[in-house]
Amino acid sequence: MTPKAVLVRMLADLEAEYRYWLVEEIRLGRGIEEIERSINQHESEFGAERTAEFRVRLARTQQQHRALAEKMRDIRRRLDELRARLEAMP
């Protein structure tokens, strides 16, 4: 395989990974919004202790979402680097 073919393959694999994580990030973001809405709508029914428990779980999920966003920024940076290397090749 030529060096250019290797870069093209790496780029395709990384783009596929990026798409996968993008879908996961969107799904997780929507889940967070739904959980927040549910907690706010049913707060009085849950009681203070149960609501606090849900908010702790929500905070963990939000942290996962932030970590996933960071991972996606890293993948995006690597994609940009690969594209630049590929464009620089004859």
Side-chain angles (χ1 to χ4, degrees):
M1 212 185 260
T2 67
K4 188 171 186 171
V6 170
L7 276 180
V8 168
R9 178 61 191 204
M10 288 172 61
L11 184 63
D13 290 347
L14 199 53
E15 285 173 336
E17 181 180 357
Y18 183 81
R19 283 190 302 274
Y20 171 81
W21 289 116
L22 179 62
V23 169
E24 290 300 307
E25 182 186 32
I26 291 168
R27 186 182 62 78
L28 191 55
R30 287 181 180 163
I32 288 170
E33 291 171 1
E34 188 174 319
I35 291 168
E36 288 173 331
R37 197 172 24 251
S38 181
I39 289 171
N40 291 335
Q41 287 176 351
H42 302 287
E43 191 169 357
S44 62
E45 296 170 29
F46 293 150
E49 186 176 317
R50 188 81 170 137
T51 299
E53 186 179 313
F54 283 134
R55 291 199 188 280
V56 168
R57 289 183 189 174
L58 179 60
R60 279 190 235 130
T61 304
Q62 288 169 325
Q63 177 58 36
Q64 290 172 339
H65 190 254
R66 285 189 294 276
L68 184 53
E70 180 63 33
K71 178 182 186 114
M72 291 191 60
R73 279 191 293 278
D74 181 54
I75 293 171
R76 183 101 214 116
R77 182 190 50 76
R78 291 181 4 218
L79 277 170
D80 292 342
E81 289 171 1
L82 280 176
R83 285 191 183 111
R85 286 176 53 194
L86 192 58
E87 287 175 10
M89 290 184 127

